[in-house]
Amino acid sequence: MSTIPEFNFIQCRVHQGVGELILDRVEKHNAFNNAMIAEMLQALHYLSNAQDCQLLMLKAKGKNFSAGADLGWMRQQANMNFEQNLNDAKQLAELMSMLDDFPKPTLALVQGAVFGGALGLICCCDVAIATSGTRFCLSEVKLGLIPAVISPYVIRAMGARNARRYMLTAEVFSSDTAQKLQVIHEVNDSLDLAAVPIMTALKNNSPQAMAWVKTLVKHLEDGKINQATHDYTSERIARIRVSKEGQEGLNAFFDKRTPDWKVGTDPQGNP
């Protein structure tokens, strides 16, 4: 396996099967700029290919998860032309897409401020837990901007009607409200303890099956149920049943033994 890259604004490590991507720009409330985004992209690429990484945990040092975009970075954007701004925005879009499509389960643990683009990161993760004191805000319109790049993920999480409200008002909302809006799944002031049962469950499951679940849900997000849906879902279950890892899981169940998920693991889905 390749050596973990060195970073300036984040930490990246793998411990006992858990890949950790930790925002570490505490003096700036973990606000991100283009350099930090580039580091996050590099870390996600590394962790997605790391054989010893079974799941990804996204968290941050300090009292705030992230204040969103860095003010200095925003000042630079104000002086950029359209093409420069377009390239800048595409880098953030790539980050959101890579996190959303990460081939392993993702868990976000958040505290303090989760503003602007940081809320997009949370909505890209499979599971999110926040402390009771966490505050969320889609603040872009206060600056004459819109939460465009993160909007597909935020709208998917909270729904279009709720997104209209919070994107238009830029009001700050609580963890309890975020849970009702399905931005987060749980409120717990002991983030690390709350993560333990989730991590344990994920580690016990088939890596291939979990990767396929993520692509299955993404494929069916439009809510359509038609012949194409039936054909796709039938093909998926048939194919995973005959895959090496699917066979291992079924045989282990009937043999009443623990499956060896290292056998035949193929996240791409070919038996």
Side-chain angles (χ1 to χ4, degrees), residues 7-252:
F7 300 108
N8 295 314
F9 304 124
I10 65 171
Q11 294 182 22
C12 176
R13 60 191 179 214
V14 181
H15 179 66
Q16 295 182 344
V18 179
E20 294 186 342
L21 197 169
I22 306 169
L23 309 185
D24 189 10
R25 202 173 179 227
V26 178
E27 73 283 359
K28 296 291 185 179
H29 305 288
N30 295 315
F32 41 82
N33 56 18
N34 55 344
M36 188 174 181
I37 291 172
E39 290 190 354
M40 295 176 71
L41 284 167
Q42 189 177 1
L44 288 174
H45 178 75
Y46 171 83
L47 293 170
S48 67
N49 291 291
Q51 294 298 314
D52 55 342
C53 175
Q54 297 173 262
L55 62 103
L56 169 67
M57 182 184 294
L58 175 65
K59 56 184 182 178
K61 297 187 69 175
K63 67 178 184 179
N64 294 310
F65 177 77
S66 175
D70 175 77
L71 295 178
W73 184 39
M74 292 174 64
R75 189 173 290 112
Q76 292 175 13
Q77 293 168 340
N79 295 319
M80 292 177 181
N81 61 31
F82 173 79
E83 291 299 330
Q84 291 170 324
N85 265 292
L86 182 60
N87 291 331
D88 200 61
K90 284 183 175 180
Q91 185 190 41
L92 180 60
E94 184 182 359
L95 172 62
M96 297 295 163
S97 178
M98 184 174 287
L99 180 58
D100 192 58
D101 292 335
F102 196 78
K104 303 164 188 179
T106 55
L107 168 63
L109 303 179
V110 301
Q111 76 285 349
V114 181
F115 281 23
L119 206 152
L121 293 176
I122 304 309
C123 292
C124 288
C125 289
D126 301 320
V127 182
I129 304 174
T131 63
S132 59
T134 304
R135 294 294 178 264
F136 303 80
C137 184
L138 293 160
S139 55
E140 287 82 356
V141 293
K142 287 187 175 182
L143 303 174
L145 305 175
I146 58 174
V149 171
I150 67 171
S151 61
Y153 312 101
V154 174
I155 292 171
R156 181 182 61 190
M158 65 169 60
R161 189 76 187 283
N162 286 319
R164 285 188 183 192
R165 170 180 173 171
Y166 290 100
M167 289 181 180
L168 288 170
T169 63
E171 61 191 294
V172 176
F173 55 97
S174 68
S175 292
D176 288 338
T177 299
Q179 187 175 22
K180 292 175 183 176
L181 294 172
Q182 301 186 67
V183 169
I184 61 172
H185 296 90
E186 182 180 337
V187 178
N188 196 313
D189 286 330
S190 300
L191 291 176
D192 290 334
L193 288 177
V196 171
I198 295 174
M199 292 190 298
T200 300
L202 293 173
K203 286 183 179 181
N204 287 333
N205 296 335
S206 158
Q208 176 180 270
M210 290 190 296
W212 283 33
V213 162
K214 295 187 66 163
T215 56
L216 176 72
V217 172
K218 194 174 187 71
H219 187 89
L220 301 175
E221 279 178 353
D222 60 10
K224 294 179 180 178
I225 302 177
N226 51 31
Q227 188 58 50
T229 309
H230 300 323
D231 292 343
Y232 171 77
T233 54
S234 298
E235 186 275 338
R236 289 286 83 191
I237 186 60
R239 188 169 294 278
I240 204 166
R241 283 174 183 163
V242 299
S243 70
K244 291 181 179 179
E245 193 161 322
Q247 289 283 299
E248 169 64 14
L250 289 169
N251 289 327

